[in-house]
Amino acid sequence: MKITSAEIYPLSIPLIEPIKMSRENIVDAKTVLCCITDEHGRKGWGEASVAPLMTGETLDSLVGSIEYLIQGCMELDWKEPKDFTGLFNRVLYANASAKSCLEMALLDLYTQTLSVPLWQFLRSANNATKAELPTPIPLLRMLGGSLDKELNDAKVFSELGFRHWKIKIGSLSLDEDLHRVKVLSDALAGDVISVDANCALSLVDAIRFCESEEASKLTFAEQLVSTELSVGDFALLKNKSPIPICLDESIHGISEIKRFIDADVFGGASLKLTKTGGVIQALSCANFLHAGNFKLNLACKVAETSLSAAATASLGFALGAVDWGFSMSNQYLRFDICDEPLKARHGHLDVAQLASSGVGITPNLDRVKEVIAKGYAAIQC
Ligand SMILES: [Mg+2]
C-alpha cells in the first residue's frame, strides 16, 4: 500500500457554546483532516485536533508537520499497522498529533482493503475474536457554565440516558468549585461523576479538594495538578486522596504509564489518540492499564469531528470496557463534516453507527471545504 497523493484540510468549526476550561476558553474546534489516496485510487481519512497545552501543537505546526510527514512517507510501502509508528519516527521526531492523523488515514485504507471495520481489526489484534457485536460505549458529558445551567443540562442529558459526567474545575475559587461539585453530585447521585482541573490546582488545593466532604461522591478526579510537579508530589496527592486519581496531560504514552505505575501515583488515565500518536499505540496503553487493573477513559480533544470520534470509539469497541466513559466531543460542534454524524443513543455510542469497513466515517468533501479555517487553504501533497 502506497500513498500516491494527499490533501490536508485545516478546519475551524464553531462550537454550540464556548467551553471554558481552567487555562483556555474554546469557541471553535481547530482540527486538521487529511485524505490520502493509494495506488488503487482508494481514499483514507485521518484527523487530529490542535492541543497546544497537551501536545504543544498549534494549527500552523500541525498542518506543517502533517505535510512534512506525508511528503516523507510517499515512497514507503505500508504493510503492517504495527510498523507504522516506527516508519513515522524515521521521518519525524515527536509530533504525536500529526502521526495520529496520518496513522488514522492509513488504518482507514488498510482496513478497507481487508473489508473489515477498524474496531474489528483492533479486536482481532487483541486476540478477542468474539462473534457478537461489542456492547455500546458509555458517553461522558461535560458540564459547564453557571450552576443553574449545569443543573439543567444534567437533568436534560440524564433524561436522555447519560450516566457519565465531567465537571470542569479550576477557573473559580476552590470553595466555589467544591459547592458546584457537591450540588451536582447530589443531583446525579449513583452516576459516574468526575472533575477535571486541567492542571490548574496547587498541590495544597488539590489535596484539600480531594479530602473535602463535598467531593466525596466523585468517581475520579482528573489531572488536578500541573505536569511540572515532581513524582513525589503526585504520590502524595494519590496517598492523601480518597478519590481515585486520573492523569491526562501527564500521560502521552506507554513509557509514562509504566513510570507512573511504578511510582504508584494514579488509579487510571485518560487516553487520546493525539497524545499517544495514534490508535495502535493507544491500544497498547489501554491493554497495559487493563492488565494492571487500572481504569481508563477515552477522549477526543475538544473538539474533534465524527471521524476522530469513530477511530477513538473503535478502540473502545475493541477493548470491550471503558469504565470511566468516552468523551466524544463532536456532540459540542455546531455541525459536523459528514452526512450522518455519530450520535448518543441512551447516553451511549453503538457500533452500528460505524460503516462496515474502514474507520467508519467518511467526510463529505463539500462540508469539509465549507469549514476551512480563515486564512488557510487546502494543501495538496
Ligand atoms: Mg482531561
mmCIF file of all heavy atoms in Angstrom, residues 24 26 30 47-48 71 83-84 119 128 132 171 187 195 231 235 248 254 287 297 311 341 352 355 360 375:
data_model
loop_
_atom_site.group_PDB
_atom_site.id
_atom_site.type_symbol
_atom_site.label_atom_id
_atom_site.label_comp_id
_atom_site.label_asym_id
_atom_site.label_seq_id
_atom_site.Cartn_x
_atom_site.Cartn_y
_atom_site.Cartn_z
ATOM 1 N N GLU A 24 -8.000 27.672 29.205
ATOM 2 C CA GLU A 24 -8.383 28.118 27.864
ATOM 3 C C GLU A 24 -9.906 28.161 27.749
ATOM 4 O O GLU A 24 -10.624 27.432 28.422
ATOM 5 C CB GLU A 24 -7.780 27.217 26.768
ATOM 6 C CG GLU A 24 -8.039 25.743 26.943
ATOM 7 C CD GLU A 24 -7.297 24.865 25.946
ATOM 8 O OE1 GLU A 24 -6.912 25.336 24.857
ATOM 9 O OE2 GLU A 24 -7.126 23.673 26.253
ATOM 10 N N ILE A 26 -12.588 27.725 24.826
ATOM 11 C CA ILE A 26 -12.621 27.235 23.447
ATOM 12 C C ILE A 26 -13.947 27.606 22.797
ATOM 13 O O ILE A 26 -15.019 27.303 23.328
ATOM 14 C CB ILE A 26 -12.412 25.701 23.416
ATOM 15 C CG1 ILE A 26 -11.052 25.379 24.054
ATOM 16 C CG2 ILE A 26 -12.469 25.163 21.991
ATOM 17 C CD1 ILE A 26 -10.753 23.922 24.175
ATOM 18 N N LYS A 30 -10.457 23.662 16.320
ATOM 19 C CA LYS A 30 -9.393 23.787 15.323
ATOM 20 C C LYS A 30 -8.847 22.390 15.111
ATOM 21 O O LYS A 30 -8.167 21.827 15.973
ATOM 22 C CB LYS A 30 -8.316 24.750 15.798
ATOM 23 C CG LYS A 30 -8.794 26.194 15.801
ATOM 24 C CD LYS A 30 -7.672 27.158 16.080
ATOM 25 C CE LYS A 30 -8.136 28.599 15.901
ATOM 26 N NZ LYS A 30 -9.257 28.947 16.802
ATOM 27 N N GLU A 47 -7.708 12.403 11.120
ATOM 28 C CA GLU A 47 -7.972 13.694 11.778
ATOM 29 C C GLU A 47 -7.151 13.827 13.053
ATOM 30 O O GLU A 47 -6.914 12.839 13.759
ATOM 31 C CB GLU A 47 -9.459 13.810 12.161
ATOM 32 C CG GLU A 47 -9.766 15.108 12.912
ATOM 33 C CD GLU A 47 -11.221 15.244 13.360
ATOM 34 O OE1 GLU A 47 -11.981 14.259 13.254
ATOM 35 O OE2 GLU A 47 -11.577 16.340 13.822
ATOM 36 N N ALA A 48 -6.737 15.033 13.326
ATOM 37 C CA ALA A 48 -6.165 15.363 14.649
ATOM 38 C C ALA A 48 -6.461 16.827 14.941
ATOM 39 O O ALA A 48 -6.387 17.666 14.048
ATOM 40 C CB ALA A 48 -4.665 15.125 14.670
ATOM 41 N N GLN A 71 4.879 13.942 2.969
ATOM 42 C CA GLN A 71 5.883 14.006 1.890
ATOM 43 C C GLN A 71 7.018 13.016 2.142
ATOM 44 O O GLN A 71 7.506 12.371 1.221
ATOM 45 C CB GLN A 71 6.427 15.434 1.767
ATOM 46 C CG GLN A 71 5.417 16.347 1.080
ATOM 47 C CD GLN A 71 5.796 17.809 1.127
ATOM 48 O OE1 GLN A 71 6.637 18.223 1.917
ATOM 49 N NE2 GLN A 71 5.154 18.606 0.286
ATOM 50 N N ASP A 83 3.881 -1.603 12.360
ATOM 51 C CA ASP A 83 5.153 -0.969 11.967
ATOM 52 C C ASP A 83 5.007 0.510 11.623
ATOM 53 O O ASP A 83 6.008 1.193 11.368
ATOM 54 C CB ASP A 83 5.752 -1.694 10.739
ATOM 55 C CG ASP A 83 6.049 -3.151 11.036
ATOM 56 O OD1 ASP A 83 6.323 -3.469 12.216
ATOM 57 O OD2 ASP A 83 5.993 -3.974 10.097
ATOM 58 N N PHE A 84 3.758 1.003 11.562
ATOM 59 C CA PHE A 84 3.541 2.375 11.082
ATOM 60 C C PHE A 84 4.305 3.405 11.934
ATOM 61 O O PHE A 84 4.955 4.297 11.407
ATOM 62 C CB PHE A 84 2.046 2.734 11.076
ATOM 63 C CG PHE A 84 1.226 2.029 10.017
ATOM 64 C CD1 PHE A 84 -0.149 2.225 9.932
ATOM 65 C CD2 PHE A 84 1.820 1.165 9.098
ATOM 66 C CE1 PHE A 84 -0.913 1.592 8.964
ATOM 67 C CE2 PHE A 84 1.060 0.516 8.132
ATOM 68 C CZ PHE A 84 -0.305 0.737 8.056
ATOM 69 N N TRP A 119 -12.637 -1.292 14.192
ATOM 70 C CA TRP A 119 -12.826 -1.855 15.540
ATOM 71 C C TRP A 119 -12.606 -3.371 15.531
ATOM 72 O O TRP A 119 -12.061 -3.928 16.476
ATOM 73 C CB TRP A 119 -14.203 -1.502 16.123
ATOM 74 C CG TRP A 119 -15.398 -2.079 15.414
ATOM 75 C CD1 TRP A 119 -16.158 -1.470 14.474
ATOM 76 C CD2 TRP A 119 -15.957 -3.389 15.599
ATOM 77 N NE1 TRP A 119 -17.159 -2.310 14.054
ATOM 78 C CE2 TRP A 119 -17.056 -3.486 14.722
ATOM 79 C CE3 TRP A 119 -15.638 -4.468 16.416
ATOM 80 C CZ2 TRP A 119 -17.846 -4.648 14.634
ATOM 81 C CZ3 TRP A 119 -16.413 -5.623 16.337
ATOM 82 C CH2 TRP A 119 -17.501 -5.704 15.449
ATOM 83 N N ALA A 128 -9.155 -10.993 20.706
ATOM 84 C CA ALA A 128 -10.508 -11.122 21.253
ATOM 85 C C ALA A 128 -11.461 -11.280 20.069
ATOM 86 O O ALA A 128 -12.080 -10.320 19.633
ATOM 87 C CB ALA A 128 -10.874 -9.899 22.076
ATOM 88 N N GLU A 132 -19.953 -11.954 18.606
ATOM 89 C CA GLU A 132 -21.031 -10.978 18.802
ATOM 90 C C GLU A 132 -20.515 -9.543 18.692
ATOM 91 O O GLU A 132 -19.317 -9.282 18.829
ATOM 92 C CB GLU A 132 -21.714 -11.182 20.165
ATOM 93 C CG GLU A 132 -20.861 -10.839 21.348
ATOM 94 C CD GLU A 132 -20.084 -12.045 21.874
ATOM 95 O OE1 GLU A 132 -19.868 -12.993 21.098
ATOM 96 O OE2 GLU A 132 -19.686 -12.015 23.038
ATOM 97 N N SER A 171 -11.288 27.146 37.283
ATOM 98 C CA SER A 171 -11.326 28.559 36.891
ATOM 99 C C SER A 171 -12.045 29.417 37.928
ATOM 100 O O SER A 171 -11.983 30.642 37.855
ATOM 101 C CB SER A 171 -11.949 28.750 35.505
ATOM 102 O OG SER A 171 -13.037 27.930 35.303
ATOM 103 N N ALA A 187 -27.298 15.865 42.734
ATOM 104 C CA ALA A 187 -28.306 15.752 41.671
ATOM 105 C C ALA A 187 -28.101 14.502 40.825
ATOM 106 O O ALA A 187 -29.063 13.952 40.290
ATOM 107 C CB ALA A 187 -28.243 16.996 40.779
ATOM 108 N N VAL A 195 -14.302 15.113 37.999
ATOM 109 C CA VAL A 195 -13.897 16.502 37.778
ATOM 110 C C VAL A 195 -12.597 16.484 36.986
ATOM 111 O O VAL A 195 -11.858 15.498 36.994
ATOM 112 C CB VAL A 195 -13.664 17.274 39.104
ATOM 113 C CG1 VAL A 195 -14.957 17.467 39.855
ATOM 114 C CG2 VAL A 195 -12.605 16.600 39.961
ATOM 115 N N VAL A 231 7.271 13.652 40.813
ATOM 116 C CA VAL A 231 6.587 12.373 41.017
ATOM 117 C C VAL A 231 6.228 12.212 42.491
ATOM 118 O O VAL A 231 5.170 11.677 42.833
ATOM 119 C CB VAL A 231 7.486 11.209 40.518
ATOM 120 C CG1 VAL A 231 6.909 9.865 40.935
ATOM 121 C CG2 VAL A 231 7.627 11.274 39.006
ATOM 122 N N ALA A 235 2.607 11.388 44.076
ATOM 123 C CA ALA A 235 2.424 10.262 45.010
ATOM 124 C C ALA A 235 1.736 10.745 46.283
ATOM 125 O O ALA A 235 0.850 10.062 46.826
ATOM 126 C CB ALA A 235 3.776 9.631 45.329
ATOM 127 N N ASP A 248 -4.197 12.866 32.816
ATOM 128 C CA ASP A 248 -4.450 13.120 31.391
ATOM 129 C C ASP A 248 -3.226 13.811 30.773
ATOM 130 O O ASP A 248 -2.421 13.184 30.090
ATOM 131 C CB ASP A 248 -5.720 13.973 31.252
ATOM 132 C CG ASP A 248 -6.090 14.258 29.809
ATOM 133 O OD1 ASP A 248 -5.387 13.782 28.909
ATOM 134 O OD2 ASP A 248 -7.093 14.965 29.556
ATOM 135 N N ILE A 254 3.154 4.878 26.590
ATOM 136 C CA ILE A 254 3.363 3.703 27.442
ATOM 137 C C ILE A 254 4.493 3.913 28.447
ATOM 138 O O ILE A 254 4.427 3.433 29.569
ATOM 139 C CB ILE A 254 3.607 2.455 26.560
ATOM 140 C CG1 ILE A 254 3.418 1.167 27.344
ATOM 141 C CG2 ILE A 254 4.953 2.482 25.886
ATOM 142 C CD1 ILE A 254 2.030 0.653 27.351
ATOM 143 N N ASN A 287 -4.296 -1.645 26.939
ATOM 144 C CA ASN A 287 -4.073 -3.037 27.374
ATOM 145 C C ASN A 287 -3.194 -3.085 28.616
ATOM 146 O O ASN A 287 -3.429 -3.875 29.533
ATOM 147 C CB ASN A 287 -3.419 -3.846 26.246
ATOM 148 C CG ASN A 287 -4.426 -4.201 25.161
ATOM 149 O OD1 ASN A 287 -5.627 -4.271 25.418
ATOM 150 N ND2 ASN A 287 -3.947 -4.422 23.954
ATOM 151 N N ASN A 297 -10.412 6.362 30.735
ATOM 152 C CA ASN A 297 -11.435 6.951 29.887
ATOM 153 C C ASN A 297 -10.799 7.267 28.544
ATOM 154 O O ASN A 297 -9.581 7.478 28.457
ATOM 155 C CB ASN A 297 -12.151 8.145 30.530
ATOM 156 C CG ASN A 297 -11.328 9.402 30.641
ATOM 157 O OD1 ASN A 297 -10.728 9.847 29.668
ATOM 158 N ND2 ASN A 297 -11.292 9.988 31.827
ATOM 159 N N ALA A 311 -12.686 6.703 15.179
ATOM 160 C CA ALA A 311 -11.422 5.982 15.414
ATOM 161 C C ALA A 311 -11.219 5.715 16.901
ATOM 162 O O ALA A 311 -10.801 4.624 17.298
ATOM 163 C CB ALA A 311 -10.257 6.797 14.856
ATOM 164 N N PRO A 341 -23.572 12.306 11.322
ATOM 165 C CA PRO A 341 -22.665 12.381 12.485
ATOM 166 C C PRO A 341 -22.991 11.321 13.533
ATOM 167 O O PRO A 341 -24.149 10.895 13.662
ATOM 168 C CB PRO A 341 -22.929 13.777 13.046
ATOM 169 C CG PRO A 341 -23.555 14.548 11.932
ATOM 170 C CD PRO A 341 -24.315 13.550 11.110
ATOM 171 N N ALA A 352 -23.176 0.041 15.537
ATOM 172 C CA ALA A 352 -23.947 0.032 14.284
ATOM 173 C C ALA A 352 -23.860 1.366 13.549
ATOM 174 O O ALA A 352 -24.153 1.443 12.349
ATOM 175 C CB ALA A 352 -25.409 -0.315 14.580
ATOM 176 N N ALA A 355 -19.468 2.498 9.725
ATOM 177 C CA ALA A 355 -19.559 1.749 8.469
ATOM 178 C C ALA A 355 -18.901 0.379 8.622
ATOM 179 O O ALA A 355 -18.131 0.148 9.556
ATOM 180 C CB ALA A 355 -18.889 2.543 7.350
ATOM 181 N N GLY A 360 -14.888 4.056 9.619
ATOM 182 C CA GLY A 360 -16.335 4.010 9.833
ATOM 183 C C GLY A 360 -17.068 5.290 9.525
ATOM 184 O O GLY A 360 -18.304 5.317 9.539
ATOM 185 N N GLY A 375 -8.052 32.213 6.615
ATOM 186 C CA GLY A 375 -6.629 32.479 6.410
ATOM 187 C C GLY A 375 -5.844 31.261 5.981
ATOM 188 O O GLY A 375 -4.631 31.340 5.757
#
